[in-house]
Amino acid sequence: MAPAPVLRSRRAAARRPEEPSVREDLFPRYTAYDPKIPIWCVTPRRRGCLHRFFDTSPISPSGRYLAVFQMPFEDRAPKPGERGGIVLVDLETGEDRLVAETAGWEPQMGANINWGASDRELFFNDVDTATWRPFAWKLDPLGGERHRMEGTVYHASPDGRWLISANLATMRLTQTGYGVVVPDDRVRRNPGPVADDGFFLTDTSTGARRLLLSTRDAFAKADPPILEPAPERCEIYGFHGKFNPQGDRLMLSFRWYEPRGAPVFNAFGRRDIRVRFAWVTCRPDGGELHCAIGPEQWEKGGHHGTWFPDGRRISMNLNIDREGLRFVQADFDGRNLRKMLDRVTGSGHPTVSPDGCHLLTDAYAWEPVAYGDGAVPLRWISLADGTETALARIPTNPREARGVLRLDPHPAWDRTGRWVAFNGFADGTRRVFLADMAGLREC
């Protein structure tokens, strides 16, 4: 078993006012395993905290604040109506405070917290327990004013104007941890492609929601098509939805499987059910619909696609040659699928760095590049020659390596390209950390 991480405080560092900064006299330094970059724990006084995902920074647009989710417990999944917390951390003063509570969360993504265009726009999900309808709030975390959205949030556009989301209540049918929890009998089922479910777009200026892309249209109109011979025999659901950094294109994830009669929850975790996948892309008006990564590729084994910084290419892990996971890329229209590096093993949640010269990723505790004791590396890989550095060794909860309660670091770049947020396990609980990447940004 690896030694417990140690959090230590240091003297205050010099400020760079044009970028986020961390006060070393207020936040403890993370020094376990001799990291190659400066790292701080920014939730030292709260247990059970996590940031959202590897495509979304918890740092506010100005760089002053951090928004994280606080789980009310860490030893079980939530039941319908149980509430967690939205916590605002002031990186200038070290203060943190609870700014909202919500019933719209699961252990992997929390309440899908996203910042909008300014520090006064914070989006997160909730559930109306009278109707069991999920919805999103637009909250001013500084003043307290809030507005209820008609739709939900999975990912916000870079300017905060739009929210993209699949039906969050149905996410548990394919995989637990990413949506919201409502009573099982309130979860709809989709027999075949349907015209009234898929991905929804919410206008945050009005709160109005509309259906952007139905499962029926996705399977009927994508070019190239989604290669499923009998979609009418399957239950089909939306899952991940992501704006590119420019806000002019979307990645949308569909999942489907043959039904088993009674409702199936967490089909992804069952060996007797074959879940199939596709990434499609489109404009925010639904035009230029393409299947970028189809089931014929996903069935080889792979995970965690996201946008390149240029907003025109997709990166992901894929067992493209059936010789083990590799980091691959493809154009948004499905063309030019290829390995980024020939012999480097894929893992975790990879993103291309803002300078376009490196890959940053973590790993799952069971993947070959992990350390075997619940700790995983923060991997920094040159796209020029595959040279790799383990920037840090991140402890996760070794008792919950798999399943809905696992702890994934989800390393995520901030808007300046200097800071990376990630989740870790320290002092017996989930913590959020910030890493200063300033010394690594040169190609």
Side-chain angles (χ1 to χ4, degrees), residues 244-250 307-314 332:
N244 68 359
Q246 294 74 24
D248 62 6
R249 203 166 293 275
L250 287 155
W307 288 105
F308 266 68
D310 64 14
R312 293 297 177 266
R313 289 174 290 169
I314 291 170
F332 70 87

Side-chain angles (χ1 to χ4, degrees), residues 116-148:
S118 75
D119 292 3
R120 291 186 174 273
E121 292 182 355
L122 191 65
F123 302 101
F124 62 92
N125 289 310
D126 204 345
V127 173
D128 185 333
T129 56
T131 62
W132 296 113
R133 178 177 176 178
F135 66 94
W137 289 109
K138 179 168 71 171
L139 170 71
D140 176 357
L142 306 181
E145 183 179 0
R146 62 170 69 191
H147 299 278
R148 179 168 170 165

Side-chain angles (χ1 to χ4, degrees), residues 43-287:
T43 60
R45 292 176 294 278
R46 290 185 179 266
R47 300 181 64 83
C49 289
L50 63 119
H51 90 91
R52 181 187 171 270
F53 209 27
F54 74 119
D55 55 16
T56 312
S57 177
I59 298 175
S60 69
S62 77
R64 176 166 179 173
Y65 301 102
L66 190 89
V68 297
F69 183 78
Q70 185 174 22
M71 297 171 63
F73 39 77
E74 298 181 70
D75 58 348
R76 63 175 176 84
K79 299 175 182 178
E82 292 187 314
R83 306 185 75 80
I86 310 296
V87 173
L88 190 73
V89 179
D90 189 331
L91 297 176
E92 293 278 354
T93 67
E95 298 174 350
D96 60 65
R97 60 187 178 91
L98 186 72
V99 294
E101 293 185 332
T102 174
W105 66 280
E106 285 200 84
Q108 284 302 300
M109 308 283 271
N112 277 292
I113 299 170
N114 281 251
W115 286 100
S118 75
D119 292 3
R120 291 186 174 273
E121 292 182 355
L122 191 65
F123 302 101
F124 62 92
N125 289 310
D126 204 345
V127 173
D128 185 333
T129 56
T131 62
W132 296 113
R133 178 177 176 178
F135 66 94
W137 289 109
K138 179 168 71 171
L139 170 71
D140 176 357
L142 306 181
E145 183 179 0
R146 62 170 69 191
H147 299 278
R148 179 168 170 165
M149 305 286 101
E150 183 180 339
T152 53
V153 55
Y154 193 83
H155 198 234
S157 62
D159 62 2
R161 176 66 188 275
W162 306 99
L163 309 178
I164 189 67
S165 177
N167 185 335
L168 296 183
T170 64
M171 284 189 174
R172 288 192 300 126
L173 293 170
T174 59
Q175 188 177 6
T176 53
Y178 296 79
V180 303
V181 180
V182 302
D184 291 354
D185 61 2
R186 296 298 187 104
V187 179
R188 67 171 285 169
R189 297 174 69 184
N190 292 341
V194 298
D196 63 344
D197 196 22
F199 284 88
F200 298 86
L201 200 64
T202 298
D203 184 340
T204 63
S205 67
T206 65
R209 181 190 78 156
R210 67 178 178 87
L211 181 63
L212 173 69
L213 181 64
S214 69
T215 60
R216 184 182 67 182
D217 285 349
F219 277 76
K221 298 180 179 180
D223 178 25
I226 300 172
L227 298 180
E228 170 54 53
E232 69 279 359
R233 298 179 184 175
C234 302
E235 293 188 26
I236 306 171
Y237 302 99
F239 207 80
H240 304 294
K242 308 183 184 206
F243 283 94
N244 68 359
Q246 294 74 24
D248 62 6
R249 203 166 293 275
L250 287 155
M251 289 175 62
L252 307 174
S253 168
F254 289 93
R255 299 178 171 189
W256 63 96
Y257 56 88
E258 293 186 9
R260 291 292 190 274
V264 172
F265 289 86
N266 199 30
F268 185 75
R270 289 182 49 163
R271 294 186 177 182
D272 62 327
I273 295 179
R274 181 189 180 207
V275 181
R276 288 166 68 75
F277 308 85
W279 274 116
V280 303
T281 67
C282 65
R283 296 196 312 260
D285 63 3

Side-chain angles (χ1 to χ4, degrees), residues 30 35-37 39 371 376-379 390-394 422:
Y30 176 74
K36 304 297 189 298
I37 50 176
I39 298 173
Y371 296 109
V376 301
L378 186 64
R379 304 174 67 193
L391 299 179
R393 182 168 172 158
I394 306 170
F422 64 86

